Amino acid sequence: MTSTLLTEDQQALTETTLDFAQDHLAPHALDWDRDKHFPVDVLRKAAGLGLGGVYVREESGGSGLSRADGVLVFETLASGCPSIAGYLSIHNMVAWMIDRYGDDAQRERHLPRLCAMEDLASYCLTEPGAGSDAAALTTRAQRDGDGWLLTGVKQFISGAGATQLYLVMARTGGQGADGISAFLVDKDDPGLSFGPNERKMGWNAQPTRQVILDGVRLPADRLIGREGEGFRIAMNGLNGGRLGIAACSLGGARSALDRSLAHLADREAFGQRLLDAQALRFRLADMATELAAARALVQQAAQALDRDDPQAPYLCAMAKRFATDTGYAVADRALQLHGGYGYLNEYGIEKIVRDLRVHQILEGTNEIMRVIVARGLTEAFG
């Protein structure tokens, strides 16, 4: 984002985050991707900057930043590594949900460790048979004396196996959204296990596994909010999560654009720098313009979420769809501008393309984002 559009505090926040991304993420991103290494030590360094509780209130141990501030953070982090920035967005979504919907005891128990990233968190909504149709989930939480007994399988869970805390959506009532409740499950709870680390196209610097709940017994104080509120809690969490992933797409794509500028300035063909070819300059101009438009929409949605605007879910869906589609398209064009070099791992472009592709799927597919936007447009007509 152009610095003139930022407040002094936001400029300082962006500069500090950029220093962290350049010093601790970018130099290692290709190795982490190759080795499928989840750099927990680096995440804890990020927590030292307040990035483990970006949206958590200061009285709960967090940074108390606005959504408008947060999208700057995640865009900047993603310029160093979209995979790690994406995981941090998910961790922060869970921390915010506990701060917003948990009781005093739950906040006191979990938030200091989450904000310090001594404990890492995962969000467990998707199931093998319930992805886009999240209200159809089948993981069951049954009464067990004063507590609960959870049984089911969650699919595509970021950080699973390496994280300590799992925010799990399970069915406590009848069919549909009203029968879902939210629970906190600890990695050490008996009956919890994990599938193998999935082999993925991108996001290799964070593990993705099934979370298997085989009769996990939980005390009553593991319920977040009230019984039957889980789906509303999940969707409200996803409004912010969608902005985080949208911002990560912007950061990854901006990095790809910057690399393209440097590459075209360094390469010559037919007696001139590639950067001086008008056709290529026009392509760069389009890429920059599309990213600026996407960034403006993400900021608009973030500001709407900050002020609890009733249109915020609609705008978050719109921003997520547009920014993730735009980010991937810009990264893909950046690869093309690099020619054969873009296809080589060492240039880092193909990793950005692979990492950004999944952003069009997670936190609600972009097809579902269109459903939300269309519903917002047409609901007045019945």
Side-chain angles (χ1 to χ4, degrees), residues 219-233:
D221 64 4
R222 299 291 193 88
L223 177 71
I224 289 281
R226 292 191 295 270
E227 186 176 344
E229 284 190 325
F231 191 77
R232 181 175 68 86
I233 292 171

Side-chain angles (χ1 to χ4, degrees), residues 101-103 105-106 109-110 141-150 172 181-185 189 216-227:
Y101 296 104
D103 59 29
Q106 289 166 337
R109 184 183 311 129
H110 296 294
Q142 296 177 309
R143 289 284 186 180
D144 181 48
D146 293 335
W148 299 91
L149 188 68
L150 270 63
T172 54
S181 301
F183 297 88
L184 291 172
V185 179
D189 286 328
V216 177
R217 283 184 169 81
L218 301 178
D221 64 4
R222 299 291 193 88
L223 177 71
I224 289 281
R226 292 191 295 270
E227 186 176 344

Side-chain angles (χ1 to χ4, degrees), residues 14-160:
T14 302
E15 290 173 358
T16 299
T17 308
L18 182 60
D19 287 343
F20 180 84
Q22 291 179 337
D23 291 344
H24 297 289
L25 301 183
H28 310 292
L30 290 176
D31 290 340
W32 293 338
D33 177 75
R34 181 196 63 221
D35 298 336
K36 296 180 173 54
H37 174 67
F38 189 43
V40 174
D41 58 331
V42 175
L43 293 174
R44 289 177 178 153
K45 289 179 182 177
L49 298 178
L51 302 183
V54 172
Y55 307 118
V56 173
R57 292 171 294 177
E58 291 184 66
E59 55 265 36
S60 297
S63 298
L65 297 183
S66 68
R67 298 290 177 173
D69 294 332
V71 293
L72 300 175
V73 167
F74 291 113
E75 176 176 352
T76 307
L77 285 172
S79 69
C81 179
S83 176
I84 295 303
Y87 171 74
L88 276 165
S89 174
I90 294 167
H91 171 90
N92 275 278
M93 178 173 66
V94 174
W96 175 84
M97 293 166 76
I98 294 171
D99 190 35
R100 174 66 178 82
Y101 296 104
D103 59 29
D104 288 342
Q106 289 166 337
R107 287 194 289 270
E108 290 172 9
R109 184 183 311 129
H110 296 294
L111 289 178
R113 294 187 63 82
L114 291 175
C115 290
M117 299 196 84
E118 294 171 5
D119 287 347
L120 305 179
S122 292
Y123 178 77
C124 304
L125 176 63
T126 300
E127 298 182 358
S132 294
D133 186 9
L137 64 83
T138 60
T139 294
R140 172 64 62 176
Q142 296 177 309
R143 289 284 186 180
D144 181 48
D146 293 335
W148 299 91
L149 188 68
L150 270 63
T151 301
V153 177
K154 296 297 181 177
Q155 184 79 21
F156 304 130
I157 305 305
S158 294

Side-chain angles (χ1 to χ4, degrees), residues 153-284:
V153 177
K154 296 297 181 177
Q155 184 79 21
F156 304 130
I157 305 305
S158 294
T163 53
Q164 189 68 31
L165 193 65
Y166 299 83
L167 184 52
V168 176
M169 302 300 160
R171 188 165 300 285
T172 54
Q175 296 302 308
D178 292 341
I180 296 171
S181 301
F183 297 88
L184 291 172
V185 179
D186 190 271
K187 183 179 181 180
D188 298 325
D189 286 328
L192 186 70
S193 62
F194 307 97
N197 193 6
E198 303 285 3
R199 298 171 64 185
K200 308 187 297 286
M201 175 179 174
W203 269 33
N204 289 317
Q206 55 167 291
T208 302
R209 293 183 171 94
Q210 285 188 334
V211 173
I212 303 165
L213 303 117
D214 185 11
V216 177
R217 283 184 169 81
L218 301 178
D221 64 4
R222 299 291 193 88
L223 177 71
I224 289 281
R226 292 191 295 270
E227 186 176 344
E229 284 190 325
F231 191 77
R232 181 175 68 86
I233 292 171
M235 293 302 105
N236 287 342
L238 281 174
N239 287 331
R242 287 164 182 162
L243 292 180
I245 292 303
C248 289
S249 289
L250 297 177
R254 179 67 221 194
S255 176
L257 175 57
D258 289 344
R259 293 170 194 236
S260 296
L261 283 162
H263 179 74
L264 296 181
D266 189 55
R267 297 280 295 173
E268 289 189 0
F270 307 107
Q272 67 172 359
R273 292 190 313 167
L274 291 179
L275 190 61
D276 295 326
Q278 188 177 67
L280 300 183
R281 292 166 72 95
F282 281 4
R283 182 167 293 191
L284 293 167

